[in-house]
Structures are given as structure tokens and as C-alpha cells.
Amino acid sequence: MSEEILINVTPVETRVALVENGMLQEAYIERASRKGIVGNIYKGKVVRVLPGMEAAFVDIGLERAAFIHASDVVSSQASAVVPGDGPKPVPDIRTLLREGQSLVVQVTKDPIGTKGARLTTQLSIPSRYLVFMPDVSHVGISQRIEDETERNRLKAIVEQGAEAHPDVQGGYIIRTAAEAASEEELLADMNYLHHLSQSIHERIEKVQAPAAVYKDLPLFIRTIRDLIRPQTEKVRIDSRESHQRVMEFVDEFVTEFADKVEYYPGERPIFDLYSVEDEIQKALSRKVQLKSGGYVIIDQTEAMTTIDINTGAFVGHRNLEETIFKTNLEAARAISRQLRLRNLGGIIIIDFIDMEDVEHQRQVHRMLEKMLERDHAKTKITGVSELGLVEMTRKRTTESLGQVLCEPCPICDGRGFLKTSETVCFEIFREILRINRAYDAESYLVMASQSVVDRLVDEESDNVADLETFIAKTVRFQVEPFYSQEQYDVVLL
């Protein structure tokens, strides 16, 4: 599998595209005016404790106060707990926090919609191969590193490195990227994390809450730290300045990838390669067309994302069950890609076309699981339910692609549909009757959109005449070109 990373940098926006086999799989966007804050560490101030929610609001210097749950607050007792002892009861938030208290926190979820950022006091500082956690004392390792010999080797190196620095309190998680890394590379990462942790601690002592004490790297640097892998063939950057900064980072931390990073000076915009721009535009649509002729409908709501599969123009060749099976298999591959590309998170319900054959259900479910193994976000998937639905969750830490690039329609207010002109006409009739009972006027002027006025003077003309006879007053109409179809005003004359 060939893999390339394209990085488009401008003064106002940085965009990253992960391309596999010539097809866009993931897109990341960071704007100068609205940077993501996941991973940032703040010294905040508790502004409100909510016992009924087992949570508190913390001012970290943003527009909206951030939110922290009691389970995300590390107490002196909780920090001594050894992982694996089983779930512990959530303590009373009032025993952990008080209003006005200073608190060092890290952002785990960006503000999304009307919700503030989600916080934790369980700090974690990432590097290329490791994650350093000041509040724990164990060494963990990524489940994606499956070779037991390699797991033991990596764990032994990190544990020995930790013993050599008894003055540094904290634990580590060995990341997937550490597989096959040398001892020197791991120890260099540990030293980097020790120095960074010390500088963060010193800044915490100096600043007054609320204030930022550590901000994660910019997107184009994080891409090198988190996304580049041995199978990555090329990383192309279209900004000379950003390329220089990336090469400084590569030369210091990931020298083995130095020959894979290159500056792209091409005349064509970098996102025109592999039709990345077109794929991003398609990812904003509800409908995903399948090659066979079938299609997938994706609807994102605040509560969950629903996905529906249809055979569309695909009529198959053998029988109905085979047609349905092939459509569902193709949809499973498309859905896994769309989840990554659109960065959809939270609860996701997939309504595959009903399959009678249990073996077909198993194969479609397995295909979905297999395709989701490539996902960087943590996913959890259930089997096919009695209603033929597949339920899954995907970890959400940042806004989806649609939420970053779009806003709710001001005309329909995000509903996705408008009242018909007929409905609006009937609302106008009721409004005139209501006003006529309350006020004395000689006549009425209705101001509305072109489509509504056209209907009032054409299809509804008989009803308008009946209304004028009933109220014994004339009704005139005026087109307002800037009114939406649902807008109207009734003016007393």
C-alpha cells in the first residue's frame, strides 16, 4: 500500500491530506483564527462546582468555560491506583474541587457546537515514540504492536531508562510508531520529554490562572510526529518556510525519514494532486456514490450520525441476496473511509440493507472491522442487531470536517428543508384573521417572497377572495426579494 502526505500551508490556514493508493483517506484543517486546543495544558480556575453533574466548570481563558468530570480529576489517592484494579467509584466532586481553586488541566476535546472544551488533570505529553504522564508510575504499550518479543524489548528499554532518572516522576506509554525503534531513539525521546516536562512545571509555578502553560505543535509539525510511518513514501510541503521548520524537526527527532520529506514547488496547487480538493467537496455531501451504482446516505446530527445504504441503480447479475451482499460489502469499505475523511465521531448507526444469509452478515461485519483497523481514532463496533443495524462509536476529540468548513443554513436553521409556499400562505391567512380580531385597520399589506406571492395571486386567489369577504377588508401583496420562502410580514394600513 503506497501512502503519501500532502501539506498545504498558507498564512491563514494549514491543510493536511493523507493519501493511500491515490485516494484521499484523511483531511486535517487548522486555521490561524481558530486553532484546535486538544493537548494544550492550562492553569485554570474553578468557577463553578456542580454536585448534581459530578463535574465542574473551569476558566482557562477561552470564551466559554471548559468542563471537567469528577472521573477526570486525579486526587492524591487516585494517582496511587495501579491500572488494572478494576473500576473505582467516582468520588464526590466537592471533595476534589472548590470554587476559586487553581487547577492544572489538559484539553481532551475541542469546544464543539455549544459545548465547551473537555478537560482532564491526567496530563500526557507526547513525543514521536512515547507519551509521558507525570501522574502515573507504570509503563504501557500500544495494543497495535502485536509482536510479543518486540513489546518486551521496548518495555525493557523504557523501564531501564526510567530507572536511570529516579529524579523524574512519571510513567510512559509506548506509541505504535516506536515499533522497531532503536534504544538510542527511545532514550533521546525520554530526555526530550524530561526537559519539556520540567519547563512546563516551571511555567506552572510562574503564571497566574487562567493562562496557557503548554501548547501543542502546529499541525504541519504534528503531522510528522503522528502520521509519518515506514510505509509513507513521500511528505510534500508547498511552503518553503514550513519545509525548513519540518526539516529541523526531522533532523532532531526522526532522522530516518529525512529523505521522505520534500518541498513541492509545482505550478499546480498541491491539493490538485490526487483530486484532493474534489474529494473534500464530495465529503460535504450527504450522498456517497458507490462504483456499482448503489449509494450511501450520511446524516450527522448532534446526538449521532446515521448511515443508510441503498442499491440505487445496481441491479446485480444473479439474485437479490447476492446484489444486496455485494452492495453492503462495497458500502462497508466506503463507510470506513468516509468516517476517517469526515472525522465523524460519537455514536454511529449503520443501516445495512437487510441480509437473510447469516454468513453474508458476518462477512460484511468483518469487512467493516478490517477497514476500521486503519483508523487512527479509537473505534468500538457491535454485531448486527435484531433490527439489522450495526452500532459503533468513534472517539471524537475535534470538530468534524463539515463542522470546520460549514455552518448551519440561516434560511432553514439547519433543518435541511423549508416550509412549502402553500404552508406559508395558510399561515398568512391565520395571521390576518388573528390581527383582524385584535386591531382595527382599513386594509392589509402582505410582504412575502416571490414564490409565496405568486401562489397567493394564482392558486390561492379564490381563498384570498373568500378571506376578504369574511373580514370585509382588502388584502394587497408585495414581493420582498430578500425574504426567504418562510419569511413574511402583515402590515396594517
Side-chain angles (χ1 to χ4, degrees):
M1 180 182 69
S2 65
E3 182 178 287
E4 286 191 37
I5 297 173
L6 309 178
I7 304 177
N8 167 230
V9 182
T10 66
V12 296
E13 183 181 60
T14 299
R15 302 186 300 168
V16 174
L18 176 64
V19 179
E20 294 176 2
N21 296 325
M23 180 70 75
L24 177 66
Q25 299 293 331
E26 296 179 23
Y28 302 89
I29 299 174
E30 182 177 82
R31 290 177 171 167
S33 60
R34 196 177 60 170
K35 288 187 177 181
I37 59 172
V38 170
N40 289 3
I41 298 175
Y42 296 86
K43 187 174 184 180
K45 180 177 287 187
V46 179
V47 292
R48 193 176 176 195
V49 176
L50 306 170
M53 297 285 290
E54 294 181 342
F57 286 110
V58 182
D59 179 12
I60 57 174
L62 303 180
E63 260 184 57
R64 289 195 300 269
F67 178 85
I68 188 166
H69 191 265
S71 60
D72 293 318
V73 181
V74 177
S75 64
S76 56
Q77 294 82 10
S79 61
V81 172
V82 178
D85 285 356
K88 299 292 184 294
V90 177
D92 188 335
I93 189 72
R94 290 169 293 190
T95 66
L96 301 173
L97 301 176
R98 66 181 187 280
E99 291 183 10
Q101 173 186 347
S102 291
L103 191 68
V104 178
V105 292
Q106 186 168 33
V107 178
T108 58
K109 283 186 181 180
D110 275 330
I112 298 176
T114 58
K115 299 176 182 176
R118 181 73 182 262
L119 306 176
T120 180
T121 61
Q122 303 168 35
L123 306 184
S124 60
I125 308 168
S127 65
R128 170 64 184 166
Y129 301 116
L130 303 169
V131 177
F132 178 64
M133 298 174 295
D135 298 312
V136 300
S137 57
H138 70 284
V139 175
I141 188 165
S142 168
Q143 295 297 321
R144 294 191 178 187
I145 301 177
E146 297 177 353
D147 185 87
E148 198 60 36
T149 304
E150 178 66 1
R151 291 174 67 88
N152 292 335
R153 181 186 76 87
L154 294 171
K155 205 166 183 179
I157 292 171
V158 174
E159 286 174 345
Q160 289 170 11
E163 290 172 2
H165 295 85
D167 54 316
V168 178
Q169 299 297 314
Y172 302 87
I173 293 176
I174 303 169
R175 305 180 70 176
T176 307
E179 190 168 11
S182 67
E183 181 176 351
E184 292 76 14
E185 290 170 329
L186 289 171
L187 293 178
D189 247 23
M190 293 182 77
N191 287 329
Y192 163 75
L193 288 171
H194 294 166
H195 291 308
L196 181 56
S197 177
Q198 183 61 34
S199 68
I200 290 173
H201 181 73
E202 290 172 359
R203 180 158 171 76
I204 289 171
E205 297 295 323
K206 292 178 183 177
V207 300
Q208 294 289 321
V213 294
Y214 165 76
K215 292 189 176 181
D216 206 357
L217 299 169
L219 177 59
F220 63 91
I221 301 289
R222 294 203 309 273
T223 299
I224 305 301
R225 184 189 71 192
D226 299 337
L227 295 184
I228 194 169
R229 299 181 293 176
Q231 60 263 44
T232 304
E233 292 184 358
K234 285 289 178 188
V235 178
R236 306 186 192 196
I237 309 172
D238 65 357
S239 163
R240 192 181 299 276
E241 181 185 346
S242 299
H243 175 259
Q244 290 174 350
R245 289 181 62 186
V246 165
M247 290 309 300
E248 290 171 5
F249 181 85
V250 167
D251 291 340
E252 186 171 357
F253 297 107
V254 283
T255 53
E256 70 273 22
F257 295 129
D259 60 334
K260 296 188 176 185
V261 181
E262 64 179 38
Y263 169 60
Y264 175 78
E267 292 183 4
R268 289 177 65 198
I270 192 168
F271 268 29
D272 282 3
L273 303 178
Y274 307 111
S275 303
V276 171
E277 293 284 14
D278 292 341
E279 290 299 319
I280 290 176
Q281 292 304 314
K282 288 179 184 177
L284 300 177
S285 171
R286 290 179 67 229
K287 191 173 184 178
V288 180
Q289 200 68 46
L290 303 177
K291 288 183 179 179
S292 65
Y295 60 91
V296 175
I297 298 293
I298 301 176
D299 283 315
Q300 184 183 1
T301 68
E302 187 169 348
M304 66 180 69
T305 298
T306 59
I307 302 177
D308 185 47
I309 296 95
N310 295 281
T311 54
F314 181 49
V315 295
H317 302 289
R318 295 176 59 187
N319 54 52
L320 178 60
E321 181 66 21
E322 191 70 19
T323 303
I324 290 171
F325 174 54
K326 287 185 177 179
T327 304
N328 282 340
L329 272 181
E330 187 181 5
R333 290 190 288 269
I335 288 167
S336 63
R337 173 175 173 261
Q338 291 297 323
L339 294 180
R340 294 170 64 188
L341 177 54
R342 298 172 187 236
N343 192 24
L344 297 173
I347 299 170
I348 299 163
I349 307 294
I350 306 172
D351 183 11
F352 285 107
I353 307 170
D354 290 341
M355 294 171 285
E356 300 291 338
D357 191 327
V358 176
E359 178 59 22
H360 284 175
Q361 291 183 11
R362 190 193 66 79
Q363 288 187 43
V364 169
H365 188 268
R366 177 62 193 132
M367 172 62 75
L368 184 61
E369 283 185 323
K370 182 181 178 183
M371 298 303 293
L372 288 172
E373 287 173 1
R374 302 180 188 176
D375 202 332
H376 293 96
K378 184 179 180 181
T379 58
K380 184 179 179 182
I381 182 170
T382 68
V384 181
S385 72
E386 292 181 5
L387 298 176
L389 306 175
V390 173
E391 301 167 16
M392 64 171 288
T393 59
R394 185 174 185 271
K395 187 174 181 182
R396 172 169 52 197
T397 56
T398 59
E399 292 181 310
S400 68
L401 187 68
Q403 288 170 325
V404 171
L405 298 180
C406 305
E407 63 182 12
C409 170
I411 305 301
C412 70
D413 198 25
R415 297 195 311 268
F417 46 83
L418 292 172
K419 293 177 183 176
T420 65
S421 57
E422 181 183 33
T423 300
V424 178
C425 288
F426 294 168
E427 285 185 1
I428 291 171
F429 295 159
R430 290 194 295 272
E431 181 68 6
I432 291 174
L433 289 171
R434 186 188 68 80
I435 293 174
N436 190 64
R437 292 191 189 98
Y439 304 100
D440 187 26
E442 293 181 3
S443 62
Y444 297 101
L445 172 66
V446 175
M447 297 187 295
S449 66
Q450 183 73 60
S451 60
V452 172
V453 171
D454 286 347
R455 186 175 183 95
L456 285 166
V457 298
D458 190 1
E459 291 98 323
E460 305 298 334
S461 58
D462 289 345
N463 292 328
V464 172
D466 291 342
L467 177 66
E468 288 179 323
T469 302
F470 181 76
I471 63 176
K473 291 165 187 173
T474 59
V475 180
R476 294 193 293 113
F477 307 107
Q478 179 179 310
V479 174
E480 288 294 327
F482 297 109
Y483 276 25
S484 72
Q485 186 162 290
E486 293 187 357
Q487 283 181 288
Y488 65 85
D489 284 304
V490 179
V491 180
L492 285 68
L493 300 176

